[in-house]
Amino acid sequence: NAGVTQTPKFRVLKTGQSMTLLCAQDMNHEYMYWYRQDPGMGLRLIHYSVGEGTTAKGEVPDGYNVSRLKKQNFLLGLESAAPSQTSVYFCASSYSSRDRRLDTQYFGPGTRLTVL
Amino acid sequence: DQQVKQNSPSLSVQEGRISILNCDYTNSMFDYFLWYKKYPAEGPTFLISISSIKDKNEDGRFTVFLNKSAKHLSLHIVPSQPGDSAVYFCAASEGGTSYGKLTFGQGTILTVHP
C-alpha cells in the first residue's frame, strides 16, 4: 500500500515549456487535490476532483489544467510554464463521506518544480 | 485575503516543556479544523482534528482547543520531544458545496531543543 505517490520528484523547466505532474493513489479515495506551497503562503489549492471524470477550480487555478480519467490518477498540467510557477506541488486524496472525521487528506511527498 | 492565519512563523521550545501553536480564522462558515505536521522533503501528515461542536480534542501528547467566539484554535504538545521538530499547519474546512476543501495557514516552524 503505497498511499499517494507523485512523479517526478524534481523538475527544471524553461519558460514556455510544458509538463505534466502525475499523482496516483491506491486507497480508493473519491476526492483528489493539487496544492502548491510557497514560502510564507502555506498550501494553496489549485484544482480538485470529487470523482472520476470531474474537476473543479480551487484558489489559484490560472496557468494549470487537470484531468481525472481514472479514479486513482489525477494529472496536473502546465501548458506554458512561467517563473511564477516555481513552487513545491503536493497532491492529496481523501474519502467522501458525511462523517467529517473522514475529511482527512493524505498527501504525497511533493514535486519541486523550478521554472527558469 | 488570508482566511486562516498562523501569526508566529517559528517557535523554539525545550524538550519536555509545552509547545503551544496558535491559529486564527476569519470565515465563520468553517466548521472543521485540522492540524498537519510536515517534515522537510515530505508531504504533510494529519495530526489531529476538531469539529466546531467541540471545544477540545485530545490524542496522546497532542490537544487541540477551539474558541469559536474568538475564531481561534491552538495545538498543545506536552511534553515536547525533539522528534516533534517540524512545520505545523492548521487547516479549516466548511460543509456544503465546499465539502472536502481545506484552507491552510502559513505554517509555524517548531524546533524542540534537547
Side-chain angles (χ1 to χ4, degrees), chain A residues 16-100:
Chain A
Q17 287 184 318
S18 63
M19 77 163 295
T20 301
L21 283 68
L22 171 64
C23 176
Q25 53 95 3
D26 60 3
M27 296 175 282
N28 201 34
H29 285 168
E30 287 292 333
Y31 289 10
M32 296 187 74
Y33 313 83
W34 275 107
Y35 293 90
R36 59 178 289 173
Q37 184 195 5
D38 302 293
M41 300 290 287
L43 283 83
R44 291 181 293 169
L45 183 65
I46 304 171
H47 286 281
Y48 66 101
S49 168
V50 300
E52 182 178 325
T54 72
T55 62
K57 294 180 179 179
E59 182 185 354
V60 288
D62 293 343
Y64 305 95
N65 57 75
V66 287
S67 64
R68 183 100 181 267
L69 298 179
K70 293 183 179 180
K71 184 177 183 179
Q72 64 268 34
N73 295 338
F74 195 28
L75 279 63
L76 178 71
L78 286 74
E79 290 185 349
S80 179
S84 60
Q85 294 178 304
T86 293
S87 187
V88 181
Y89 292 86
F90 290 101
C91 176
S93 67
S94 68
Y95 290 104
S96 155
S97 170
R98 290 203 172 275
D99 182 348
R100 298 305 298 278

Side-chain angles (χ1 to χ4, degrees), chain B residues 4-103:
Chain B
V4 178
K5 293 183 181 180
Q6 295 175 254
N7 292 315
S8 297
S10 62
L11 175 67
S12 183
V13 171
Q14 206 68 31
E15 181 179 6
R17 307 295 274 271
I18 185 171
S19 295
I20 300 177
L21 295 96
N22 294 304
C23 180
D24 297 296
Y25 62 96
T26 57
N27 186 345
S28 58
M29 298 300 292
F30 288 145
D31 64 353
Y32 198 72
F33 304 89
L34 308 91
W35 284 94
Y36 280 82
K37 176 179 178 179
K38 184 184 178 306
Y39 292 117
E42 295 183 10
T45 55
F46 170 73
L47 192 57
I48 192 170
S49 62
I50 187 167
S51 165
S52 60
I53 63 174
K54 295 185 175 181
D55 54 19
K56 176 183 174 181
N57 189 27
E58 192 172 352
D59 183 2
R61 296 186 296 113
F62 303 91
T63 303
V64 56
F65 296 92
L66 176 62
N67 182 333
K68 282 179 295 192
S69 60
K71 293 191 174 67
H72 176 83
L73 65 155
S74 61
L75 174 68
H76 293 209
I77 306 174
V78 184
S80 301
Q81 299 173 353
D84 295 330
S85 297
V87 180
Y88 289 78
F89 291 99
C90 68
S93 72
E94 54 181 291
T97 58
S98 298
Y99 188 90
K101 288 167 57 182
L102 293 179
T103 301

